[in-house]
């Protein structure tokens, strides 16, 4: 549909972020664009491809939340957090840019950044391409986008593995051979009162090349100012006077008595003295607003029509995002303050190369999509609190161990009572190299037939070269992981996940009003994990070199091999849907669907593998339009049973293992209301109410990650009825936008808000007690703008009332060690922006 120039110029910024709904038992769900069409005087038709065919969203019998391209511009959406808050069925937790995890309809076992852990429960697609990675949803810069689609509920029949709870789809604008287009935006921003300025520049051009080809080029640079302050701090390391080595050596821990393979005993008799204390400060890193972020990248797409029936569309996208500093603050040291002792950053670089071919064979529509995706993430964060708290809890910190075996020591087994470490502070460096190769081929019968079929085949292989280094500058080789000086603990592993499937979805019209569809996906998975994790030979541990069973190749950074496991699974997901269309404006549907998430491999041999978890969904929904299509009221009621919930637990020596802990259930209501109240005033209200709880007792596994056969009261982590972590019972948003013409200028004013209910931290009761819940919050955005000819000018205020809404809480280490000292990751404080743009 072509909009008039007047409609194109009404683009603005703002989000009205707040507003609880009337009752906790009723919520307004899915998000959709409410706009006036030029000719009908009603709400705009919204076209989606959620079911791999082009359809009006009001005719699609699934719960789908849509943010169109114009809506994204009006809400000043630039990144993941900006659009995620306006998708009520999709909850999320984040530790900062590029480090977010998403959950549909309450399907969450808590934030886990373990790269050897479970695959996400929600699939993520860019156009036809899966870009789901093990930890952290892709933070795509949102410019020149067609729309965002959030598909709630299992989507396994069409989207496969990791779409157990839902699917998020980011749809880019495609080249158009029929016209030339170009445009740009320039924006300046300020966060809070004293932050450094931010800025962005975005541009696109659509270049036709004859009647059958076009290329679309997009480029951007975005800098976001920081708002977290790194304040001065001095940490004091001192072993208590008269303390003894802890844990105490014993027959069950023979490595505590040895310093070399000959098992000669170490003399600990003189190690009862008090080593001299060490004070460490962060004066070199003290800085205001140190968490700034820079992003830049672009996209190139070529559309080539080969005759009347075939089109080839190659696309290349590239983005680099460099996030500096910590996105969380410690409330114990002041609002928006923290005290990192080492530099903190997250550098995320990715490239997506994709090819889509569409055409016809006889009367069948044919689609092939293939892609090659690479992502490289370098991440460093401070681990100083772990050093202090571990020393406090256990009287000897692993970062403060005395040196052994100096050449000038006449007894090679004596402990050096004068440790040479100048700074025992730990920090962590993570390096992850992802690859993903995917192929999908599908055929579709004509849409005007009474029986319609979509069938296809899918294959993908994704890898993650995992390297996590727990570092201490100046650490003795004696305590370091062999071949890795200065590294106290190391994960150096390769994870490979393979997924192959055949799928089919058939729809039959029994009458002009009643239809039914059946979808089935047969799948097989083959996931492997290979490499090394743990400590060196001279530290107490049930990991590391103590459990190695094979040598690593010469020249490898792996000291040896202690993980080599594989899990294979086969199964099927199903979807059955009934739809009744009363008339063009009123429809109801009922759906039964299932979803799955593949199992995986634990690093510990004792913990073995974990199995896939599965979801069974039953929902009843409606899509309606009233008052001459000026009012839309859509919604769904759902009930989901989650079997074999995969949970991360921290066991001995802080090693995380995955277990199938038990079962859970989510049920609730999601709905949307969009109203064109008058020609120039559009109102929308949407949200989701979900009750997400465990339905069985979740029992604490053994310290080695082995599930317990029986669950005593002392070993109970989460009793039946515990709220699933990271999930608000109510998430809602509302928007009011008024457009007017004054003195020949097309202008607008907009208010938008979101409300997010309280969330819990973990499924482990002891951690919840120490870290605490994130309270409910609401936040409001305001924007105003004007336009004339081909230019627009907009100004906005985000988080108008400067609320400290919490996106997540994070403990620097196991809550039992770091005590009640969580970091809070807040929504952005009050921020101001002004944007100028032109289109040609």
């Amino acid at each position: 549909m072509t909009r008039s120039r007047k409609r194109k110029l009404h683009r603005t910024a703002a989000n009205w972020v707040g507003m609880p709904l009337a009752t906790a038992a009723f919520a307004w769900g899915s998000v959709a664009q409410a706009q006036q069409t030029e000719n009908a005087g009603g709400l705009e038709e919204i076209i989606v491809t959620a079911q791999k065919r082009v359809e009006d969203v009001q005719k699609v019998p699934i719960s789908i939340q849509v943010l169109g391209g114009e809506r994204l511009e009006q809400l000043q959406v630039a990144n993941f957090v900006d659009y995620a808050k306006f998708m009520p069925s999709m909850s999320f937790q984040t530790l900062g840019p590029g480090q977010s995890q998403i959950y549909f309809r309450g399907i969450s076992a808590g934030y886990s950044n373990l790269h050897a852990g479970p695959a996400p429960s929600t699939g993520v697609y860019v156009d036809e391409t899966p870009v789901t990675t093990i930890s952290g949803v892709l933070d795509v810069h949102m410019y020149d986008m067609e729309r965002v689609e959030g598909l709630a509920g299992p989507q396994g029949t069409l989207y496969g593995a990791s779409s157990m709870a839902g699917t998020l789809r980011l749809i880019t604008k495609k080249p158009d051979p029929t016209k030339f287009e170009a445009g740009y935006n320039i924006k300046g921003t300020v966060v809070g009162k004293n932050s450094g300025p931010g800025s962005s520049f975005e541009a696109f051009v659509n270049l036709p090349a004859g009647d059958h080809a076009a290329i679309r080029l997009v480029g951007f640079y975005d800098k976001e100012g920081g708002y977290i302050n790194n304040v001065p701090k001095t940490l004091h390391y001192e072993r208590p006077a008269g303390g003894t080595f802890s844990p105490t050596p014993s027959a069950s821990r023979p490595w505590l008595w040895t310093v070399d393979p000959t098992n000669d005993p170490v003399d600990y008799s003189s190690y009862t003295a008090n080593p001299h204390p060490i004070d460490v400060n962060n004066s070199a890193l003290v800085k205001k607003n140190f968490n700034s972020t820079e992003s830049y990248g672009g996209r190139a797409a070529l559309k080539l029509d080969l005759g009347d029936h075939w089109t080839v569309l190659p696309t290349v996208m590239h983005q680099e995002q460099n996030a500096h500093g910590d996105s969380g603050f410690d409330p114990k040291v002041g609002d928006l303050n923290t005290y990192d002792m080492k530099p903190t950053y997250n550098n995320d670089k990715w490239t997506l190369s994709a090819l889509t071919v569409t055409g016809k064979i006889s009367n069948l529509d044919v689609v092939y999509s293939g892609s090659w995706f690479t992502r490289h993430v370098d991440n460093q964060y401070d681990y100083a609190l772990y050093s202090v708290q571990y020393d406090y809890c256990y009287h000897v910190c692993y970062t403060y161990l005395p040196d052994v075996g100096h050449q000038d020591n006449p007894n090679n087994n004596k402990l050096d009572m004068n440790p040479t470490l100048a700074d025992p502070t730990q920090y962590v460096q993570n390096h992850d190299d992802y690859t993903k190769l995917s192929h999908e081929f599908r055929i579709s019968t004509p849409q005007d037939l009474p029986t319609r079929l979509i069938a296809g085949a899918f294959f993908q292989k994704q890898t993650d070269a995992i390297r996590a280094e727990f570092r201490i500058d100046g650490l003795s080789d004696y305590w370091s992981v062999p071949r890795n000086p200065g590294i106290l603990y190391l994960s150096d592993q390769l994870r490979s996940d393979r997924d192959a499937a055949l799928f089919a979805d058939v729809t039959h019209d029994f009458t002009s009003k009643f239809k039914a569809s059946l979808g089935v996906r047969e799948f097989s998975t083959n996931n492997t994990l290979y490499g090394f994790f743990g400590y060196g030979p001279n530290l107490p541990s049930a990991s590391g070199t103590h459990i190695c069973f094979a040598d690593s190749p010469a020249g490898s950074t792996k000291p040896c091999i202690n993980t080599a496991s594989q899990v294979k699974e086969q199964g099927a997901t199903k979807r059955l849907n009934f739809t009744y269309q009363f008339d063009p404006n009123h429809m109801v549907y009922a759906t039964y669907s299932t979803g799955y998430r593949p199992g995986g491999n634990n690093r510990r041999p004792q913990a073995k593998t974990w199995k896939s978890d599965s979801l069974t969904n039953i929902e009843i929904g409606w899509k309606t339009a009233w008052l001459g299509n000026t009012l839309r009221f859509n919604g769904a009621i759902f009930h989901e049973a989650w079997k074999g919930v995969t949970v991360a637990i921290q066991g001995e020596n802080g090693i995380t293992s995955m277990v199938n802990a038990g079962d859970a259930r989510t049920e609730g209501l999601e709905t949307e209301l969009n109203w064109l109240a008058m020609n120039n005033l559009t109102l929308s209200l949407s949200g989701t109410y979900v009750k997400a709880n465990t339905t069985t007792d979740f029992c604490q596994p053994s310290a080695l990650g082995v599930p317990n056969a029986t669950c005593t009261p002392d070993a109970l982590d989460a009793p039946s009825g515990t709220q699933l972590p990271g999930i608000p019972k109510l998430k809602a948003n509302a928007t009011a936008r008024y457009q007017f013409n004054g003195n020949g200028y097309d202008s607008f004013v907009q208010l938008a808000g979101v409300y997010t209910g309280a969330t819990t931290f973990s499924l482990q009761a002891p951690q919840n007690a120490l870290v605490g819940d994130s309270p409910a919050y609401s936040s409001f955005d305001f924007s105003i703008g004007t336009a004339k000819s081909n230019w627009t000018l907009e100004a906005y205020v985000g988080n108008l009332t400067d609320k400290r809404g919490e996106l997540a809480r994070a403990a620097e280490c196991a809550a039992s060690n770091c005590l009640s000292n969580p970091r809070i990751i807040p929504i952005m404080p009050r921020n101001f922006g002004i944007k100028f743009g032109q289109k040609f």
Side-chain angles (χ1 to χ4, degrees), residues 454-465:
I454 298 176
F458 174 83
F459 171 80
Q460 74 172 4
K461 178 184 178 181
Q462 53 186 329
T463 66
D464 182 3

Side-chain angles (χ1 to χ4, degrees), residues 507-540:
T507 301
H508 179 71
D509 296 334
F510 289 94
T511 70
S512 60
K513 296 183 177 182
F514 178 68
K515 66 180 180 181
S517 62
L518 175 65
V520 178
R521 187 183 190 98
E522 295 280 349
F523 66 86
S524 64
T525 62
N526 180 1
N527 301 335
T528 58
L529 185 66
Y530 176 86
F532 172 86
F533 81 100
Y535 299 94
N538 299 312
L539 280 170

Side-chain angles (χ1 to χ4, degrees), residues 425-457:
T425 304
Q426 284 196 39
Y427 60 103
V428 183
Q429 288 184 347
N430 294 311
H431 312 276
D432 285 271
D433 283 296
Y434 301 93
T435 69
K436 184 188 288 280
L437 173 68
S438 70
H439 299 281
E440 180 173 299
F441 176 82
R442 66 178 185 269
I443 59 172
S444 305
T445 59
Q447 296 303 298
D448 56 356
L449 296 179
T451 301
R452 300 172 294 282
L453 172 71
I454 298 176

Side-chain angles (χ1 to χ4, degrees), residues 28-34 46 48 57-58 63-68 71-72 75 77 82-90 104 147-152 623 632 634-635 670-674 684-688 731-735 753-754:
W28 301 94
S30 183
V31 178
Q33 170 72 8
I46 302 167
V48 297
V57 71
Q58 291 296 106
S63 179
I64 176 172
Q65 306 167 16
V66 184
L67 291 171
R71 174 76 161 169
L72 293 170
L75 295 173
V77 168
D82 289 344
Y83 69 78
K85 66 184 181 182
F86 286 100
M87 308 191 80
S89 284
M90 189 176 80
F104 273 96
R147 64 187 177 276
V148 176
E149 297 178 2
L151 285 58
K623 297 194 174 181
R632 283 183 187 155
N634 299 341
E670 53 199 13
T671 180
E672 66 169 343
L673 181 68
N674 293 309
S684 66
L685 183 62
S686 58
T688 294
K731 184 184 178 190
N733 68 76
T735 306
V754 298

Side-chain angles (χ1 to χ4, degrees), residues 372-422:
W372 174 248
F373 173 68
T374 62
R375 184 181 186 185
H376 177 76
V377 179
D378 280 321
N379 171 285
Q380 179 171 298
Y381 62 92
D382 185 60
Y383 216 51
L385 187 61
Y386 180 85
S387 306
V388 174
Q389 294 301 142
Y390 210 87
D391 195 19
Y392 174 85
C393 295
Y394 296 101
H395 306 299
V396 58
C397 179
Y398 289 160
T399 61
Y400 196 60
L401 291 170
D403 206 355
V404 179
H406 275 224
Q407 295 298 316
D408 59 353
N409 191 333
N411 184 343
N412 198 47
N413 294 329
K414 285 281 189 182
L415 294 170
D416 183 354
M417 295 312 298
N418 293 295
T420 58
L421 294 181

